[in-house]
Amino acid sequence: MEQAPIDHVGAVPPAGSDELLEASWADRDRTVHGRELRLEALMTAGFLVGLGALIVLAGGVDAPHPVAVALLIAYAVAARADFPIGSGHVVPTQLFLVPLFALAPAALVPALVFAGLAVGLLGEALFGRSRLDRLAYCGGDSIHALGPALVLTLFAGGDLVAAAPVVLLVAFFAQLAFDFVSSSVHDRLVFGTRPEIHVRVLLHVWGVDAALAPLGLLAAELTSH
């Protein structure tokens, strides 16, 4: 789930996710600065540390399949096809995230996700539809990919196609867990969003991810051949 500014730190958030979304429109285009910028820099640093640890754990990574480059571009496009909900956005990137794990070492996929988010945002900035300061969000928005990458590295040798069904299920829930932690910290510290409201928003996001995951697995199976 990508983040989007809502209200000032410490302000009392609206009662529900619909009200939260409505209240957010006025502030979605504000400049990323101050406390939020420092938090995003810290989250990006944490993402890079986690990525480095994954690569070391995997004993290095091989180059991804050439088709993964096309998937990265598709991921970049999908990341910009966002549907606002609550304090963030639902994006159909699950369709391309899962096949990326089939065409690249799992430890490398979070880096590809980061690159896809950055490429998509740079493309929108080029056409004046976004601002370059939004690049600050790319690190935090990539943290969700660390969860499944860790599970697949530990229990499937970094290969999604070779993973047992139970490993795939654990990898999916690891994605949700990492997403929950990163987005909860962001929304609580920046927006003052109450945890129960944030969980309500995330249930919508996770529902979309769960619906798209089987299609992603099918695409992964096809692209692996």
Side-chain angles (χ1 to χ4, degrees):
M1 181 180 76
E2 294 187 29
Q3 304 298 333
I6 296 179
D7 49 20
H8 299 292
V9 176
V12 178
S17 57
D18 291 339
E19 291 83 357
L20 191 64
L21 174 60
E22 183 177 351
S24 74
W25 286 116
D27 288 331
R28 284 182 181 264
D29 292 328
R30 73 176 183 179
T31 303
V32 184
H33 65 281
R35 183 178 182 178
E36 184 176 14
L37 183 59
R38 292 192 295 272
L39 175 61
E40 292 298 337
L42 185 61
M43 294 180 75
T44 297
F47 167 75
L48 293 175
V49 169
L51 177 61
L54 260 178
I55 293 175
V56 171
L57 181 65
V61 293
D62 297 325
H65 191 283
V67 177
V69 177
L71 277 179
L72 189 150
I73 300 301
Y75 187 100
V77 174
R80 307 316 302 171
D82 51 11
F83 302 90
I85 176 172
S87 60
H89 301 276
V90 175
V91 289
T93 51
Q94 194 78 355
L95 285 171
F96 306 103
L97 174 63
V98 179
L100 276 175
F101 278 108
L103 295 175
L108 185 62
V109 170
L112 298 177
V113 168
F114 180 88
L117 292 174
V119 167
L121 196 146
L122 286 171
E124 285 213 330
L126 182 64
F127 291 101
R129 297 178 56 187
S130 186
R131 295 197 314 273
L132 287 176
D133 64 346
R134 298 285 158 171
L135 285 169
Y137 291 125
C138 292
D141 288 344
S142 302
I143 289 177
H144 69 279
L146 292 174
L150 176 62
V151 171
L152 292 171
T153 297
L154 288 175
F155 302 110
D159 185 359
L160 178 139
V161 178
V166 66
V167 173
L168 296 177
L169 188 62
V170 172
F172 177 70
F173 280 106
Q175 175 188 332
L176 304 189
F178 275 64
D179 184 28
F180 173 75
V181 171
S182 61
S183 60
S184 294
V185 169
H186 180 279
D187 279 19
R188 186 60 179 171
L189 295 181
V190 176
F191 305 143
T193 306
R194 296 195 304 272
E196 64 271 21
I197 295 178
H198 185 67
V199 169
R200 212 179 308 164
V201 171
L202 281 181
L203 287 175
H204 292 287
V205 177
W206 293 343
V208 174
D209 286 343
L212 295 179
L215 296 177
L217 284 172
L218 178 60
E221 178 66 22
L222 294 174
T223 53
S224 67
H225 295 296

